[in-house]
Amino acid sequence: MQTIPLFGRGDFAEWRDAARALAAAGISPREADWRIRGLDDELFAANALPDLPKPDKRAQPLTVPSAFLPLAEAVVCHTEPGRFHLLYRLLWRLQSDRRLLELDADKDVAWARLLARNVNRDSHKMTAFVRFKEIAGDTNGRRRFFAWFEPSHFVVARTAPFFRRRFADMDWIIATPNGTASWDGESLLFDPRPGENPGHGDPTDDLWRTYYASIFNPARLKLKAMQAEMPKKYWRNLPEADLIPGMIANAEANVRAMAEQAAKDPPLFHYRLQETAQAMPRIEPVGAGTIEALREEARGCTRCPLHCMATQTVFGEGPQSAPLMMVGEQPGDQEDLAGRPFVGPAGKVFDAVLKEAGLARDAVYLTNAVKHFKYEPRGKRRIHEKPNKGEIDHCRWWLAKEVELIKPRLIVSLGATALHALSGEGKPLGQMRGKTITMQGNIVLYPTIHPSYLLRLPDEAERRRQHALFVDDIRRVRELVESLEALR
Ligand code: URA
């Protein structure tokens, strides 16, 4: 086994040189043990590789398709510990399979694409959320600025050229825990050591805050989207951050005031929305079988790239004759490991609610709209990510088969993802909650919230109120099933 220690802080050339040397020595991915070494590690001189076997003169020179380079340059910037191994495996496989990168369902390809996407998104966030603060003293007439930012991955060197183009006429430093970039009008430098946050403030903050408050449009407030796009670590470094709670708190009243001023006629799209609300959602009919056979088949599902990162398919469970089916979003971290739906924190809330509403969990067929756990790896943690439309669409195939085999009288969609997967429409859950919809096959769909919503509510009183409303929903569901069953 050959150990290859890398600093691994987003430096593509470092990985490329090591990979070239390994491949020239004929060392296969199985024999290569890629390690991360500390920046102060004295064991190996900078950029020096350990002694490798002599290059094999008969070996073919390495070649890769052009798509590999941008992919690999992004993947090396990820914090996922397995990234170097993954890239080397891809490089190795590309030597005998030139079209490998065209195989969307290939595990290595899909995994690399997912890591590259995370990195590109992180880089994009950096371009959006870095806030410079002026620091005293100019150099040769050039003003000086400092910014502190906390990216999730090693994206500073990769993203710094954007700031050089945008802020070419000032000197700046962007410090992050993953390295520091600086620009002095001539050289763009990158130091991979963790930077420090000295907490500078400046008068421009006040100007920016005034501007931010004046452009804030309460009618366009999308709190969830703001929170999803801007995790807390970004907020706390923004000068406008402390204005936001007040503006959000007043948003509803401000929207009402704006609406009262607006014309009284509803907009045209209102009628279109009403029409689609009447339309029956469709689920494609599928072939027969048993739920056990279907579960078995789903174990090998590769319909979308999510199978690459997930531990296993988490299929539905419950009696095949259940009159009631409940559909969540997707398995979480614990479900992914256990292979069963709703066994983690959201599952605990869900169980408590079912119990209070007098419904036995083992009488329900319980499943998810998406059958694989989607997450972003961050160090050792796996951070839940919402499935996108494509993933929901791919997985709808399984959901439709489950519906056909179980033939429930009533389906409860838990949360917006399940509602959209079952109804095929994108109406907000807030509009649809508690409104029954008759679907194909005379199945009634009852939309309600996802139990994890209760876990996210910071206010205890509100959480208790929402919990009671959720129990009311499930009681109503129980009564509905009983009356539908009585009609059978
Ligand atoms: N959330 C879901 O939507 N489903 C699960 O199985 C667990 C958490």
Side-chain angles (χ1 to χ4, degrees), residues 314 328-332 335 340-344 346-347 367-368 414 450 452:
V314 178
E329 180 185 81
Q330 63 168 338
E335 287 79 11
R340 293 185 53 211
F342 286 100
V343 293
T367 191
N368 282 301
L414 301 163
H450 192 281
S452 66

Side-chain angles (χ1 to χ4, degrees), residues 139-150:
T139 31
N140 304 327
R142 288 167 63 84
R143 292 165 70 195
R144 301 192 308 155
F145 290 81
F146 174 89
W148 171 253
F149 185 69
E150 295 173 43

